[in-house]
Amino acid sequence: MSTSLAPTITGMIQPPSSNPNPTITNILTNHNYYDDLGFDQLSDYLAFEDQLGDAYTCNFSSPLSNIPVILQENKGVILQENNTSTESSLNSNHDDMDSNHAVQINNCSKRVKRSEKSDNASRIAFRIKTELEILDDGYKWRKYGKKMVKNNPNPRNYYKCSTVGCKVKKRVERDLKDSSYVITTYEGIHSHETPHAFVYYNTQMQFD
DNA sequence: CGTATTTGACCAGCGC
DNA sequence: GCGCTGGTCAAATACG
C-alpha cells in the first residue's frame, strides 16, 4: 500500500441463500463459496474515484484472510463519503471489524479521468470471475441500455437503480482480456438502504 | 395488462 | 468542423 490517496471502500452483507447468484458479498462472507472459487479467481482489481473526481486503480493481494472490501452496515457497494478529509485510508482501522477482515489493497495509482463531468458521483469498479452477467448486490436494477464498445466483442449493459429517487447507475461488461470475468462499475451512492443488507448484517462471519 | 428488456436513434464529449 | 465513441432515451417488443 503506497499511500492513503483513496477513500474507504465499503461493502455489504447479503443473504447467501436469497439468490443463487454469486454475489460479491456472498462470496466474501461465505467461506465455502469463497474457498470453492478461490480468491484469485474472484477478482483482481478495484477501480474507483473519490468525490473530487480523481480516479484510482488498486490491486490487492488475495490470501483468504485478506478481504478486499470493508463490510459496513447498509452501505452497499459504494465509495464511502468522507466528510472530514479526502485522505481517508484504505488501511484505516475499523473498530468493529476483525483485523483479518481488513481491506488489503496494494499498488493504488491514479488514473487519468475521462472528463470533469463526474458530477461528484462516487465510482467503484470491480472484476469478478463468473459466468453470470449480473451480480446480485441486493439492489433492484432496471436495464436502460446496451452498447457495443470499441475493441470489445462483448456488449456493455447499462442499469439504473429502480428505487424511486435513487440515481445510482451501474455498467456491466465482460472483460476484454478474459471473457470469464465480468467488470461491474457502480456510479453514485444509493439514497436508500439495500433491501437485504440490514437483515443479515449481524450474521456471523467465519473465515476459519 | 403491467412490467421489464431490447434496440435504434439521438446527444454530448473528445481528438484530430 | 467533423467523425468517432460512449451514454441515454424511448418506442417497440417480450414476458409473466
Side-chain angles (χ1 to χ4, degrees), chain A residues 113-198:
Chain A
K113 58 186 173 182
R114 178 178 169 83
S115 76
E116 296 293 332
K117 69 155 196 167
S118 62
D119 201 20
N120 286 335
S122 296
R123 182 178 298 173
I124 179 170
F126 41 84
R127 179 171 171 268
I128 292 176
K129 188 166 190 173
T130 174
E131 307 230 342
L132 299 171
E133 290 297 321
I134 303 171
L135 298 166
D136 182 355
D137 51 16
Y139 294 96
K140 191 174 181 181
W141 300 94
R142 180 178 60 83
K143 190 173 186 176
Y144 68 92
K146 182 180 181 181
K147 191 86 173 178
M148 297 302 297
V149 294
K150 188 182 178 184
N151 296 329
N152 192 338
N154 304 305
R156 175 180 294 168
N157 296 295
Y158 299 89
Y159 299 87
K160 287 179 180 176
C161 182
S162 62
T163 300
V164 176
C166 183
K167 296 180 179 179
V168 177
K169 299 173 191 174
K170 75 172 180 180
R171 297 192 294 265
V172 179
E173 63 188 304
R174 289 268 165 203
D175 192 333
L176 171 62
K177 295 176 184 175
D178 186 347
S179 61
S180 65
Y181 285 86
V182 168
I183 298 173
T184 304
T185 304
Y186 290 86
E187 189 168 326
I189 298 174
H190 290 281
S191 60
H192 56 94
E193 307 280 341
T194 172
H196 301 308
F198 71 96

Side-chain angles (χ1 to χ4, degrees), chain A residues 6-14 24-25 28 46-51 68-83 88-90 94 103 105 120-126 137-139 141 161 166-170 184-194 197:
Chain A
T8 302
I9 297 171
T10 61
M12 65 180 179
I13 298 172
Q14 190 168 325
I24 301 159
T25 49
L28 295 176
L46 288 169
F48 47 88
E49 293 180 353
D50 62 21
Q51 54 265 64
V69 294
I70 295 170
L71 301 174
Q72 287 191 347
E73 185 174 9
N74 300 337
K75 293 295 186 181
V77 185
I78 60 171
L79 201 62
Q80 184 179 21
E81 292 283 351
N82 186 325
N83 295 327
S88 59
S89 172
L90 286 168
H94 292 261
V103 70
I105 297 179
N120 286 335
S122 296
R123 182 178 298 173
I124 179 170
F126 41 84
D137 51 16
Y139 294 96
W141 300 94
C161 182
C166 183
K167 296 180 179 179
V168 177
K169 299 173 191 174
K170 75 172 180 180
T184 304
T185 304
Y186 290 86
E187 189 168 326
I189 298 174
H190 290 281
S191 60
H192 56 94
E193 307 280 341
T194 172

Side-chain angles (χ1 to χ4, degrees), chain A residues 37-55:
Chain A
L37 284 175
F39 188 64
D40 286 334
Q41 293 183 332
L42 171 64
S43 179
D44 59 10
Y45 72 78
L46 288 169
F48 47 88
E49 293 180 353
D50 62 21
Q51 54 265 64
L52 299 178
D54 291 328

Side-chain angles (χ1 to χ4, degrees), chain A residues 34 38-41 43 60-67 104 106:
Chain A
Y34 189 90
F39 188 64
D40 286 334
Q41 293 183 332
S43 179
F60 48 83
S61 55
S62 60
L64 192 60
S65 60
N66 292 327
I67 309 304
Q104 186 79 25
N106 309 310

